[in-house]
Amino acid sequence: MKKPILTLSLWCVCMAAIAQSVEDSTDVFFRHLQLNELLVTGVTGDTKLKHSTAPITIVSGQELRSTASTNVIDAIARQPGMAQITTGSGISKPIIRGLGYNRIITMSEGVRQEGQQWGDEHGIEIDAQGVNSVEILKGPASLMYGSDAMAGVVILHSAPNLLEGEMKANVSSEYQTNNGLFGYSVDFAGNQGGFVWDARYSGKLAHAYKNKYDGYVPGSQFREQAGRLMLGINKMWGHSHLIWTTIHQTPSIIEGERDEETGELECATDNVKTYGKALPFQQIKHYKAVWDNSLNLPKGWLKAIIGYQQNRRQEFEESADDYELYFRLHTLTYDLRYLTQEWDGWKLAGGVNGMWQQSQNLDEEILIPAYKLFDIGGYVTVSKSLDALTLNGGLRYDHRHLDFNDRHFGSLTGSFGAVWNINEHTNLRLNLARGFRAPNMSELGSDGVHEGTLRYEIGNPDLKAEYSWQADLGLDFTSHYLSAQVALFANRIENYIFAKRSDQVMEEGYLTYIYTQGDARLLGFEAGLDFHPVHAVHFENTFSYVDARQLHVDEDMKYLPMTPAPRWTSELKVELSHGNHLLNNSYVALGLEAFMKQDHYYKADNTETATPGYALLNLSAGTDLTIRKKKIAELYLIADNLLDRAYQNHLSRLKYADYNRVTGRQGVFNMGRNFIIKVVLPITF
């Protein structure tokens, strides 16, 4: 009990000391009011946040840079309602309100990111250093995005085009002490006579991370290289952009096997701190080409986006020269839409989008069958502004054909919402949406073991599509001293698909899991409170909770697997300087991230186990370096897990690795104390 008391005491002392060092101010209120004026794109057209009926979170570039993370999903996972499934520090998959995998669409460069996201150990192949901001759309978004957007959408934005005549460059770097992570990125962008370009090259490498229970964790090292080139034309008639991206990742695979006598993790190399590859490992290459077009018409905009992606995923188990698994995934996406200008408060939008996909197995070992898939969907939306009230809704029809057993899936979906701007301080939102998701190929046809999953998986070819009804109710309030938000949701899902443990032994040394489905309901809320009583001080708190249950089943099966634990985050932030100082826009922040005990878990057949609660203390500071009123650098210093707490997140796949006979602990623990330094050097021509 000493550590929680120490954490709470340190927290209270720092709060009191900082609160006494500041004075009253009047500019905080206006800064928060500006949030309502932000434009969001998670709907069919650009919409002010205060007019959005769906719950949307915006993460700025500055917030991304000031967060300790090893990938882009890790950077946003602390937002209210968000979580992540992890396999070590290098692989993360997003969770929105308790739902993940193919229930979330990740959008990048205007198209959905397709990288075989069905796998537990398959991350998101996105260069985090090229992400300028993030929009998180919570709840069914099938209306605009089709199948797989049942839980929501994560939209990753690159930096916007520069203004006419501008040219800028950025050089950035970071270092993390726990796993020796070294990251760097160089970017050069410009706009000359309407000809626009943006070129970026990034790299990242890390050795094994450590914690005080496991020491260094073999197989947690990774390397990454990424590039991006955008060339285009911006004119009065609209724009046309060509975008190429590539990313190469080499994450090693954590097996978590232990020596029975010592309890130590077994290592395939003599140097656990190596930056090189260690068996087993994956080699992933993702290529993307996008043609983004927008035409300004007299009464609206015609937009067309075509994208091609190729994802190559190889797995090396016994030899670094011979792969044992090789997936190659081709994806062609298309999106054609028309959006009207606003007239008399009305706005209309309609479009057709979908994708063609082919997955190939290029080696003898097969985890899922090869397949071809074709999606097509059409939608129409309408919105009406009535002074303080905004109404919107729409309908969509989708059809998906999968050549595996000649399966066809189709659904009519839709949504209706309203937002009431009660006054300049308060907004009330209501949204009702119907969602749809077709089962993926892993759920239908998997038959084998994938090293990173620590289990043998068996698909179910008779699975039905998932359908959901979700209701959202939200209230946000902003005043001179206080900003507060609360969002309630209720989600009812028919034919919810999940994997449960079986007592079959398909391969020695691996547990067997079989895909099944049943009806489910999820209830929960997110709440936030930002109290700023005096100049430049923010005391921000958020709480996220989801209760996910399977209906009409026995007691040991009533909770859905992989449900995030309730989480409270708290941060005390002090802004130290503004204006023309050498150190400008400086701040220091003390944060606490507390996860409650998760004892709502799927107990049947020992599929899951409970996870004890824990709290992590974080400290961060940042500043701009300014000379002669010109910013020459951004500097961020972060201490993550400052007290070096040993813990296991409930959504960590490594929680179910080997049992340590010496200590009596199960699985591998998450990363320990980590110090991070980030430097950004902007250059303007």
Side-chain angles (χ1 to χ4, degrees):
M1 294 297 294
K2 291 183 179 180
K3 288 184 179 177
I5 294 175
L6 174 61
T7 301
L8 183 59
S9 301
L10 180 59
W11 180 245
C12 294
V13 170
C14 292
M15 280 178 24
I18 296 175
Q20 294 175 1
S21 67
V22 294
E23 300 174 352
D24 292 332
S25 177
T26 59
D27 64 345
V28 175
F29 171 62
F30 299 102
R31 184 165 63 250
H32 281 269
L33 282 184
Q34 291 172 358
L35 181 64
N36 279 329
E37 302 304 314
L38 289 175
L39 291 177
V40 295
T41 61
V43 289
T44 51
D46 291 346
T47 301
K48 288 184 179 180
L49 185 60
K50 68 178 180 181
H51 293 153
S52 172
T53 61
I56 296 178
T57 297
I58 298 176
V59 187
S60 68
Q62 195 277 339
E63 190 172 357
L64 292 172
R65 293 189 294 274
S66 62
T67 300
S69 64
T70 55
N71 57 71
V72 67
I73 301 303
D74 190 22
I76 65 174
R78 301 181 190 187
Q79 297 295 318
M82 290 292 295
Q84 59 178 327
I85 295 175
T86 62
T87 306
S89 60
I91 299 175
S92 300
K93 302 174 70 66
I95 296 290
I96 298 178
R97 291 177 165 179
L99 300 175
Y101 297 94
N102 284 78
R103 299 179 184 92
I104 296 175
I105 287 180
T106 300
M107 298 289 294
S108 175
E109 309 294 356
V111 300
R112 54 190 291 166
Q113 179 76 9
E114 287 293 318
Q116 304 174 37
Q117 58 268 29
W118 47 266
D120 281 349
E121 76 295 3
H122 298 175
I124 304 296
E125 292 86 17
I126 296 291
D127 176 18
Q129 299 176 89
V131 177
N132 184 67
S133 64
V134 181
E135 288 179 39
I136 303 168
L137 177 59
K138 303 172 187 174
S142 299
L143 181 61
M144 182 176 176
Y145 299 96
S147 176
D148 303 346
M150 177 177 285
V153 181
V154 175
I155 306 174
L156 308 176
H157 292 292
S158 302
N161 297 149
L162 298 180
L163 298 177
E164 167 66 36
E166 288 187 330
M167 290 192 297
K168 292 183 179 180
N170 267 285
V171 179
S172 62
S173 183
E174 72 170 301
Y175 179 74
Q176 302 187 15
T177 61
N178 186 286
N179 60 352
L181 184 149
F182 175 63
Y184 56 89
S185 187
V186 180
D187 178 71
F188 178 50
N191 183 341
Q192 298 294 312
F195 173 67
V196 295
W197 72 89
D198 193 348
R200 177 181 294 274
Y201 178 77
S202 304
K204 186 185 298 182
L205 63 161
H207 61 63
Y209 77 84
K210 64 179 178 180
N211 60 65
K212 68 178 184 180
Y213 283 171
D214 301 311
Y216 286 98
V217 178
S220 58
Q221 66 265 41
F222 60 90
R223 300 176 71 96
E224 176 180 299
Q225 289 182 308
R228 178 181 187 267
L229 176 63
M230 185 278 291
L231 300 174
I233 298 174
N234 288 1
K235 295 293 183 180
M236 294 295 293
W237 52 262
H239 73 252
S240 182
H241 298 161
L242 283 172
I243 305 166
W244 297 269
T245 67
T246 180
I247 184 167
H248 293 187
Q249 297 177 331
T250 311
S252 293
I253 296 174
I254 304 170
E255 296 186 296
E257 296 179 349
R258 296 182 180 274
D259 184 285
E260 292 190 2
E261 295 184 1
T262 66
E264 294 182 355
L265 291 168
E266 296 182 351
C267 184
T269 177
D270 294 333
N271 181 12
V272 74
K273 294 177 66 174
T274 179
Y275 287 91
K277 298 176 291 189
L279 291 169
F281 67 88
Q282 297 182 65
Q283 185 166 278
I284 305 144
K285 297 179 180 179
H286 192 94
Y287 306 98
K288 181 188 296 181
V290 177
W291 188 21
D292 182 353
N293 302 274
S294 180
L295 182 62
N296 299 331
L297 300 176
K299 295 184 179 180
W301 300 268
L302 183 64
K303 299 179 181 290
I305 303 177
I306 298 174
Y308 170 75
Q309 300 172 70
Q310 185 180 128
N311 185 280
R312 302 178 183 179
R313 184 179 302 272
Q314 299 170 321
E315 185 172 296
F316 299 80
E317 299 175 9
E318 303 295 334
S319 168
D321 299 318
D322 298 315
Y323 49 78
E324 298 191 27
L325 280 175
Y326 188 177
F327 300 111
R328 185 166 64 190
L329 180 68
H330 303 270
T331 304
L332 180 68
T333 56
Y334 59 94
D335 186 349
L336 179 67
R337 70 184 75 163
Y338 176 74
L339 304 92
T340 68
Q341 296 179 351
E342 184 173 342
W343 83 96
D344 195 27
W346 290 93
K347 290 173 68 176
L348 296 174
V352 177
N353 56 22
M355 68 176 176
W356 168 87
Q357 195 169 77
Q358 180 182 24
S359 179
Q360 302 168 303
N361 292 308
L362 302 181
D363 195 63
E364 294 182 0
E365 186 175 341
I366 296 176
L367 180 60
I368 65 170
Y371 68 89
K372 292 181 181 179
L373 174 154
F374 181 73
D375 262 349
I376 187 169
Y379 64 90
V380 61
T381 69
V382 59
S383 67
K384 172 65 174 176
S385 295
L386 301 167
D387 295 326
L389 182 66
T390 300
L391 304 173
N392 65 35
L395 291 173
R396 178 187 178 100
Y397 182 77
D398 279 284
H399 180 265
R400 170 174 290 186
H401 174 242
L402 187 65
D403 69 351
F404 177 75
N405 291 346
D406 194 28
R407 297 294 302 272
H408 293 263
F409 304 94
S411 177
L412 181 68
T413 57
S415 69
F416 173 78
V419 56
W420 178 25
N421 306 132
I422 300 173
N423 52 48
E424 62 177 342
H425 307 294
T426 311
N427 302 311
L428 179 66
R429 309 173 197 274
L430 175 66
N431 198 68
L432 180 65
R434 173 72 163 171
F436 155 71
R437 183 183 79 92
N440 64 46
M441 195 64 244
S442 176
E443 296 163 339
L444 291 168
S446 61
D447 185 10
V449 62
H450 207 166
E451 291 289 335
T453 66
L454 307 176
R455 65 193 194 185
Y456 192 106
E457 294 184 357
I458 301 176
N460 182 349
D462 299 321
L463 293 175
K464 302 175 183 179
E466 296 179 342
Y467 301 94
S468 72
W469 282 104
Q470 178 161 319
D472 288 274
L473 179 64
L475 180 69
D476 55 86
F477 171 81
T478 302
S479 74
H480 184 77
Y481 299 110
L482 183 71
S483 297
Q485 307 85 32
V486 62
L488 310 175
F489 67 90
N491 195 357
R492 175 69 159 79
I493 303 177
E494 302 171 38
N495 308 322
Y496 181 85
I497 301 170
F498 63 97
K500 69 173 185 178
R501 186 173 166 182
S502 168
D503 57 5
Q504 301 180 57
V505 180
M506 302 299 296
E507 186 164 331
E508 195 66 32
Y510 293 94
L511 301 176
T512 301
Y513 285 76
I514 298 176
Y515 283 100
T516 185
Q517 60 186 168
D519 294 338
R521 72 108 178 100
L522 294 88
L523 302 175
F525 69 93
E526 298 104 38
L529 181 68
D530 185 358
F531 182 50
H532 34 86
V534 290
H535 171 61
V537 171
H538 291 266
F539 183 43
E540 185 172 357
N541 293 266
T542 68
F543 189 82
S544 302
Y545 173 80
V546 59
D547 181 73
R549 305 192 182 205
Q550 186 179 192
L551 304 176
H552 318 302
V553 294
D554 295 336
E555 180 73 17
D556 60 349
M557 296 185 288
K558 71 176 182 178
Y559 295 114
L560 296 182
M562 302 303 284
T563 300
R567 182 186 62 191
W568 167 51
T569 66
S570 184
E571 182 182 71
L572 184 64
K573 183 177 182 180
V574 180
E575 299 169 355
L576 302 175
S577 65
H578 293 286
N580 300 319
H581 304 284
L582 175 63
L583 301 181
N584 195 24
N585 298 322
S586 303
Y587 71 89
V588 61
L590 183 66
L592 184 70
E593 191 174 16
F595 289 79
M596 313 305 173
K597 179 182 179 180
Q598 181 55 294
D599 53 8
H600 290 183
Y601 61 97
Y602 192 89
K603 302 178 182 179
D605 303 311
N606 293 316
T607 296
E608 286 190 310
T609 59
T611 304
Y614 59 91
L616 306 176
L617 188 67
N618 308 311
L619 183 65
S620 64
T623 188
D624 294 342
L625 301 180
T626 306
I627 296 179
R628 296 178 181 177
K629 300 182 180 181
K630 182 178 180 180
K631 183 170 71 173
I632 64 169
E634 296 178 29
L635 177 65
Y636 301 94
L637 301 172
I638 306 168
D640 204 44
N641 192 2
L642 187 61
L643 301 183
D644 199 23
R645 178 68 185 268
Y647 70 97
Q648 288 178 323
N649 187 282
H650 186 69
L651 302 187
S652 170
R653 301 299 312 157
L654 302 180
K655 183 172 175 277
Y656 301 98
D658 271 4
Y659 176 75
N660 189 329
R661 299 179 182 274
V662 176
T663 65
R665 303 187 187 103
Q666 174 79 39
V668 176
F669 283 70
N670 289 74
M671 184 183 288
R673 183 189 295 118
N674 192 18
F675 295 99
I676 302 104
I677 180 171
K678 298 182 181 181
V679 179
V680 180
L681 304 176
I683 304 170
T684 302
F685 298 94

